[in-house]
Amino acid sequence: MPDVILSDIVLYLVSGVVLGFLIGLTGIGGGVLTVPFLLLVIGLQPIAAVGTAGLYGVLTKIWAAVRHYRQGTVNIDVGMRFFLAAVPGILAGSLAVKWSRVSLSPAGVEMLQGIVSYMVMASICFALVALLFDYERLDTRFLSSRRGYIVKFPSLFLVGAVMGMTSIGGGILIIPSLLLFYRETSRYVGTSIFVALLLMTVMSALYALIGRGQGVTDVDFPAAVLMSAGSLAGVYYGAALCKRMHPRRLQKVVIGVIVLAVAMMVADRFW
């Protein structure tokens, strides 16, 4: 673990407070906000930002998953079936990035960093589309039927692969998939947190361990741990403000935050 100086500790804690506040206020998954923040504010490379965001997501979701489980708002059966269907995808996505990271030449790694950055940008743009889409109008009977398996398993594999390559998808991909393929409409929030916790644990472990022997570890442990600690206070106050905000104003804030995340990605990539 690299040495961490006092200024880094302060930066990580303050960053965690800001991220936690925005997550608590908007309900947007951590990956959408965390990766751009790690790139532009902390100064990590895209692949390291994805790996660190994955561990940050694990640390911040543990307590939320426990709380939802105690409240009875986690469908364990559906969650495990979803996890088993999506874990091949997250393995494929994570391994594709990490093996390429270890085996490519420096020029190839630089190109890979750019590809990952563009994928994160595209995923954040998709988050905006997913936010504005009305899933209640869809007829999910076919998707949740036996014939729907033709669409279901490739889709869940893709969900895992996108998460493995970008760390994004805990809310914007898992929740719609629970609604469409499992018709889980009452406990989808807690179940999505449970599934995301399991998938991100697998992902962050791969990013941390593969390439370690060659000195390549794409997880900044001090940043992830200290930012998650700062997020505890941020989420508390963000959630409190969310309760007092009018839904229409809140939706505008959510859209604004996602647009800000895209702007941060563009700034990091081109400026």
Short mmCIF file of all heavy atoms in Angstrom, two decimals, residues 31-40 46 49-50 113-122 124-125 168 258-271:
data_model
loop_
_atom_site.label_atom_id
_atom_site.label_comp_id
_atom_site.label_asym_id
_atom_site.label_seq_id
_atom_site.Cartn_x
_atom_site.Cartn_y
_atom_site.Cartn_z
N GLY A 31 -20.93 4.44 -9.19
CA GLY A 31 -20.02 4.39 -10.32
C GLY A 31 -20.17 5.57 -11.26
O GLY A 31 -19.19 6.10 -11.78
N VAL A 32 -21.40 6.01 -11.48
CA VAL A 32 -21.66 7.14 -12.38
C VAL A 32 -20.92 8.38 -11.90
O VAL A 32 -20.38 9.15 -12.71
CB VAL A 32 -23.16 7.43 -12.48
CG1 VAL A 32 -23.43 8.70 -13.27
CG2 VAL A 32 -23.88 6.24 -13.13
N LEU A 33 -20.87 8.59 -10.60
CA LEU A 33 -20.22 9.77 -10.04
C LEU A 33 -18.77 9.51 -9.65
O LEU A 33 -17.92 10.38 -9.78
CB LEU A 33 -21.00 10.23 -8.80
CG LEU A 33 -22.45 10.64 -9.02
CD1 LEU A 33 -23.13 10.91 -7.68
CD2 LEU A 33 -22.53 11.87 -9.90
N THR A 34 -18.49 8.30 -9.17
CA THR A 34 -17.18 8.03 -8.59
C THR A 34 -16.08 8.02 -9.63
O THR A 34 -15.00 8.59 -9.41
CB THR A 34 -17.19 6.69 -7.84
OG1 THR A 34 -18.27 6.67 -6.92
CG2 THR A 34 -15.89 6.48 -7.09
N VAL A 35 -16.30 7.36 -10.76
CA VAL A 35 -15.24 7.27 -11.77
C VAL A 35 -14.82 8.65 -12.28
O VAL A 35 -13.62 8.96 -12.31
CB VAL A 35 -15.67 6.35 -12.94
CG1 VAL A 35 -14.62 6.38 -14.05
CG2 VAL A 35 -15.86 4.92 -12.45
N PRO A 36 -15.75 9.53 -12.69
CA PRO A 36 -15.32 10.87 -13.11
C PRO A 36 -14.59 11.63 -12.00
O PRO A 36 -13.61 12.34 -12.26
CB PRO A 36 -16.65 11.57 -13.46
CG PRO A 36 -17.57 10.47 -13.80
CD PRO A 36 -17.20 9.34 -12.90
N PHE A 37 -15.05 11.46 -10.76
CA PHE A 37 -14.40 12.13 -9.63
C PHE A 37 -12.98 11.62 -9.44
O PHE A 37 -12.05 12.41 -9.21
CB PHE A 37 -15.22 11.88 -8.36
CG PHE A 37 -15.29 13.06 -7.44
CD1 PHE A 37 -16.29 14.00 -7.60
CD2 PHE A 37 -14.37 13.24 -6.43
CE1 PHE A 37 -16.37 15.10 -6.76
CE2 PHE A 37 -14.43 14.33 -5.58
CZ PHE A 37 -15.44 15.26 -5.74
N LEU A 38 -12.80 10.32 -9.52
CA LEU A 38 -11.46 9.74 -9.36
C LEU A 38 -10.53 10.17 -10.48
O LEU A 38 -9.32 10.34 -10.28
CB LEU A 38 -11.56 8.21 -9.31
CG LEU A 38 -12.17 7.61 -8.04
CD1 LEU A 38 -12.45 6.13 -8.23
CD2 LEU A 38 -11.25 7.83 -6.84
N LEU A 39 -11.07 10.34 -11.67
CA LEU A 39 -10.26 10.77 -12.81
C LEU A 39 -9.83 12.22 -12.68
O LEU A 39 -8.64 12.55 -12.79
CB LEU A 39 -11.05 10.58 -14.11
CG LEU A 39 -11.23 9.14 -14.61
CD1 LEU A 39 -12.25 9.11 -15.74
CD2 LEU A 39 -9.91 8.56 -15.07
N LEU A 40 -10.80 13.10 -12.47
CA LEU A 40 -10.54 14.53 -12.56
C LEU A 40 -10.02 15.12 -11.24
O LEU A 40 -9.15 16.00 -11.26
CB LEU A 40 -11.81 15.26 -12.98
CG LEU A 40 -11.62 16.66 -13.59
CD1 LEU A 40 -10.76 16.58 -14.83
CD2 LEU A 40 -12.96 17.30 -13.93
N PRO A 46 -7.83 5.85 -16.07
CA PRO A 46 -9.17 5.27 -16.21
C PRO A 46 -9.33 3.87 -15.63
O PRO A 46 -10.31 3.60 -14.93
CB PRO A 46 -9.39 5.28 -17.73
CG PRO A 46 -8.61 6.46 -18.20
CD PRO A 46 -7.39 6.50 -17.34
N ALA A 49 -9.22 4.01 -11.95
CA ALA A 49 -10.44 4.65 -11.46
C ALA A 49 -11.59 3.66 -11.42
O ALA A 49 -12.38 3.64 -10.46
CB ALA A 49 -10.80 5.85 -12.35
N VAL A 50 -11.68 2.80 -12.44
CA VAL A 50 -12.74 1.78 -12.47
C VAL A 50 -12.55 0.80 -11.32
O VAL A 50 -13.50 0.46 -10.61
CB VAL A 50 -12.74 1.06 -13.83
CG1 VAL A 50 -13.63 -0.18 -13.78
CG2 VAL A 50 -13.22 2.00 -14.93
N GLN A 113 -6.60 2.45 -21.99
CA GLN A 113 -7.09 3.46 -21.05
C GLN A 113 -8.13 4.36 -21.72
O GLN A 113 -9.17 4.68 -21.13
CB GLN A 113 -5.92 4.32 -20.53
CG GLN A 113 -4.86 3.58 -19.76
CD GLN A 113 -5.20 3.37 -18.30
OE1 GLN A 113 -6.34 3.52 -17.87
NE2 GLN A 113 -4.20 2.98 -17.52
N GLY A 114 -7.85 4.74 -22.96
CA GLY A 114 -8.80 5.57 -23.70
C GLY A 114 -10.10 4.85 -23.99
O GLY A 114 -11.18 5.43 -23.86
N ILE A 115 -10.01 3.57 -24.35
CA ILE A 115 -11.22 2.79 -24.63
C ILE A 115 -12.08 2.69 -23.39
O ILE A 115 -13.31 2.87 -23.45
CB ILE A 115 -10.84 1.38 -25.15
CG1 ILE A 115 -10.20 1.49 -26.54
CG2 ILE A 115 -12.07 0.47 -25.19
CD1 ILE A 115 -9.61 0.19 -27.04
N VAL A 116 -11.46 2.39 -22.25
CA VAL A 116 -12.20 2.30 -20.99
C VAL A 116 -12.86 3.63 -20.65
O VAL A 116 -14.01 3.69 -20.22
CB VAL A 116 -11.27 1.84 -19.84
CG1 VAL A 116 -11.97 1.96 -18.49
CG2 VAL A 116 -10.82 0.41 -20.07
N SER A 117 -12.14 4.72 -20.88
CA SER A 117 -12.68 6.05 -20.61
C SER A 117 -13.92 6.32 -21.45
O SER A 117 -14.94 6.82 -20.95
CB SER A 117 -11.61 7.11 -20.88
OG SER A 117 -12.10 8.40 -20.60
N TYR A 118 -13.86 5.97 -22.73
CA TYR A 118 -15.02 6.19 -23.61
C TYR A 118 -16.19 5.28 -23.21
O TYR A 118 -17.35 5.68 -23.32
CB TYR A 118 -14.63 5.94 -25.07
CG TYR A 118 -13.77 7.02 -25.66
CD1 TYR A 118 -12.51 6.74 -26.20
CD2 TYR A 118 -14.22 8.35 -25.69
CE1 TYR A 118 -11.72 7.75 -26.73
CE2 TYR A 118 -13.43 9.36 -26.23
CZ TYR A 118 -12.19 9.05 -26.74
OH TYR A 118 -11.41 10.05 -27.27
N MET A 119 -15.89 4.07 -22.77
CA MET A 119 -16.96 3.17 -22.33
C MET A 119 -17.65 3.73 -21.09
O MET A 119 -18.87 3.64 -20.96
CB MET A 119 -16.38 1.79 -22.04
CG MET A 119 -15.99 1.01 -23.27
SD MET A 119 -15.54 -0.68 -22.87
CE MET A 119 -17.12 -1.30 -22.27
N VAL A 120 -16.88 4.28 -20.17
CA VAL A 120 -17.47 4.91 -18.98
C VAL A 120 -18.36 6.07 -19.40
O VAL A 120 -19.48 6.24 -18.90
CB VAL A 120 -16.37 5.38 -18.02
CG1 VAL A 120 -16.96 6.23 -16.89
CG2 VAL A 120 -15.62 4.19 -17.43
N MET A 121 -17.88 6.88 -20.33
CA MET A 121 -18.65 8.02 -20.82
C MET A 121 -19.97 7.57 -21.43
O MET A 121 -21.04 8.14 -21.16
CB MET A 121 -17.83 8.80 -21.84
CG MET A 121 -18.22 10.26 -21.99
SD MET A 121 -17.19 11.12 -23.22
CE MET A 121 -15.54 10.79 -22.59
N ALA A 122 -19.91 6.51 -22.25
CA ALA A 122 -21.13 5.99 -22.88
C ALA A 122 -22.09 5.44 -21.84
O ALA A 122 -23.32 5.61 -21.95
CB ALA A 122 -20.77 4.91 -23.89
N ILE A 124 -22.42 6.42 -18.73
CA ILE A 124 -23.04 7.53 -18.00
C ILE A 124 -24.14 8.16 -18.85
O ILE A 124 -25.21 8.52 -18.34
CB ILE A 124 -21.99 8.58 -17.61
CG1 ILE A 124 -20.99 7.97 -16.62
CG2 ILE A 124 -22.65 9.81 -16.98
CD1 ILE A 124 -19.83 8.89 -16.27
N CYS A 125 -23.90 8.28 -20.15
CA CYS A 125 -24.96 8.80 -21.05
C CYS A 125 -26.16 7.87 -21.04
O CYS A 125 -27.32 8.32 -21.03
CB CYS A 125 -24.41 8.94 -22.48
SG CYS A 125 -23.19 10.26 -22.67
N ILE A 168 -19.86 0.68 -13.58
CA ILE A 168 -21.14 1.38 -13.61
C ILE A 168 -22.24 0.36 -13.90
O ILE A 168 -22.08 -0.53 -14.72
CB ILE A 168 -21.13 2.48 -14.69
CG1 ILE A 168 -20.13 3.57 -14.30
CG2 ILE A 168 -22.51 3.07 -14.89
CD1 ILE A 168 -19.93 4.63 -15.36
N ILE A 258 -25.86 14.11 -13.53
CA ILE A 258 -25.40 13.20 -14.58
C ILE A 258 -24.70 13.97 -15.70
O ILE A 258 -23.65 13.55 -16.21
CB ILE A 258 -26.57 12.37 -15.15
CG1 ILE A 258 -27.14 11.46 -14.07
CG2 ILE A 258 -26.11 11.54 -16.35
CD1 ILE A 258 -28.32 10.63 -14.52
N VAL A 259 -25.26 15.12 -16.08
CA VAL A 259 -24.62 15.96 -17.10
C VAL A 259 -23.25 16.42 -16.60
O VAL A 259 -22.27 16.45 -17.37
CB VAL A 259 -25.51 17.17 -17.43
CG1 VAL A 259 -24.76 18.17 -18.31
CG2 VAL A 259 -26.79 16.71 -18.13
N LEU A 260 -23.14 16.75 -15.30
CA LEU A 260 -21.85 17.14 -14.72
C LEU A 260 -20.86 15.98 -14.81
O LEU A 260 -19.68 16.20 -15.12
CB LEU A 260 -22.05 17.55 -13.26
CG LEU A 260 -20.77 17.87 -12.47
CD1 LEU A 260 -20.03 19.05 -13.09
CD2 LEU A 260 -21.10 18.14 -11.01
N ALA A 261 -21.33 14.77 -14.56
CA ALA A 261 -20.45 13.60 -14.65
C ALA A 261 -19.91 13.43 -16.07
O ALA A 261 -18.72 13.14 -16.27
CB ALA A 261 -21.19 12.34 -14.20
N VAL A 262 -20.78 13.62 -17.07
CA VAL A 262 -20.34 13.53 -18.46
C VAL A 262 -19.33 14.62 -18.77
O VAL A 262 -18.29 14.38 -19.41
CB VAL A 262 -21.54 13.64 -19.42
CG1 VAL A 262 -21.07 13.70 -20.88
CG2 VAL A 262 -22.50 12.47 -19.23
N ALA A 263 -19.60 15.84 -18.29
CA ALA A 263 -18.68 16.96 -18.52
C ALA A 263 -17.31 16.69 -17.90
O ALA A 263 -16.27 17.02 -18.48
CB ALA A 263 -19.27 18.25 -17.94
N MET A 264 -17.30 16.07 -16.72
CA MET A 264 -16.03 15.72 -16.08
C MET A 264 -15.25 14.70 -16.90
O MET A 264 -14.03 14.78 -17.02
CB MET A 264 -16.28 15.20 -14.67
CG MET A 264 -16.82 16.24 -13.70
SD MET A 264 -17.25 15.55 -12.08
CE MET A 264 -15.61 15.22 -11.41
N MET A 265 -15.97 13.72 -17.47
CA MET A 265 -15.31 12.73 -18.32
C MET A 265 -14.73 13.38 -19.57
O MET A 265 -13.60 13.07 -19.97
CB MET A 265 -16.30 11.65 -18.71
CG MET A 265 -16.74 10.73 -17.58
SD MET A 265 -15.39 9.78 -16.87
CE MET A 265 -14.75 8.91 -18.32
N VAL A 266 -15.49 14.27 -20.19
CA VAL A 266 -15.02 14.97 -21.38
C VAL A 266 -13.79 15.81 -21.04
O VAL A 266 -12.80 15.83 -21.79
CB VAL A 266 -16.14 15.84 -21.98
CG1 VAL A 266 -15.59 16.73 -23.10
CG2 VAL A 266 -17.28 14.97 -22.49
N ALA A 267 -13.85 16.52 -19.90
CA ALA A 267 -12.73 17.36 -19.49
C ALA A 267 -11.47 16.53 -19.27
O ALA A 267 -10.37 16.91 -19.66
CB ALA A 267 -13.10 18.12 -18.21
N ASP A 268 -11.63 15.38 -18.63
CA ASP A 268 -10.48 14.51 -18.37
C ASP A 268 -9.90 13.95 -19.67
O ASP A 268 -8.69 13.81 -19.82
CB ASP A 268 -10.88 13.37 -17.45
CG ASP A 268 -9.74 12.39 -17.23
OD1 ASP A 268 -8.84 12.70 -16.44
OD2 ASP A 268 -9.77 11.31 -17.85
N ARG A 269 -10.78 13.64 -20.62
CA ARG A 269 -10.33 12.99 -21.85
C ARG A 269 -9.70 13.95 -22.83
O ARG A 269 -8.70 13.61 -23.51
CB ARG A 269 -11.55 12.32 -22.52
CG ARG A 269 -11.24 11.47 -23.72
CD ARG A 269 -10.66 10.15 -23.32
NE ARG A 269 -9.20 10.20 -23.32
CZ ARG A 269 -8.42 9.24 -22.92
NH1 ARG A 269 -8.87 8.14 -22.44
NH2 ARG A 269 -7.11 9.37 -22.98
N PHE A 270 -10.20 15.19 -22.93
CA PHE A 270 -9.79 16.07 -24.02
C PHE A 270 -9.03 17.32 -23.57
O PHE A 270 -8.45 18.01 -24.40
CB PHE A 270 -11.02 16.50 -24.83
CG PHE A 270 -11.75 15.35 -25.48
CD1 PHE A 270 -12.97 14.91 -24.99
CD2 PHE A 270 -11.19 14.68 -26.55
CE1 PHE A 270 -13.63 13.86 -25.59
CE2 PHE A 270 -11.84 13.61 -27.15
CZ PHE A 270 -13.08 13.20 -26.66
N TRP A 271 -9.04 17.62 -22.28
CA TRP A 271 -8.37 18.86 -21.84
C TRP A 271 -7.11 18.55 -21.05
O TRP A 271 -7.03 17.57 -20.37
CB TRP A 271 -9.32 19.72 -21.01
CG TRP A 271 -10.47 20.25 -21.83
CD1 TRP A 271 -10.58 20.24 -23.18
CD2 TRP A 271 -11.67 20.86 -21.33
NE1 TRP A 271 -11.78 20.81 -23.57
CE2 TRP A 271 -12.46 21.20 -22.46
CE3 TRP A 271 -12.14 21.18 -20.06
CZ2 TRP A 271 -13.70 21.82 -22.35
CZ3 TRP A 271 -13.37 21.79 -19.95
CH2 TRP A 271 -14.14 22.11 -21.07
#
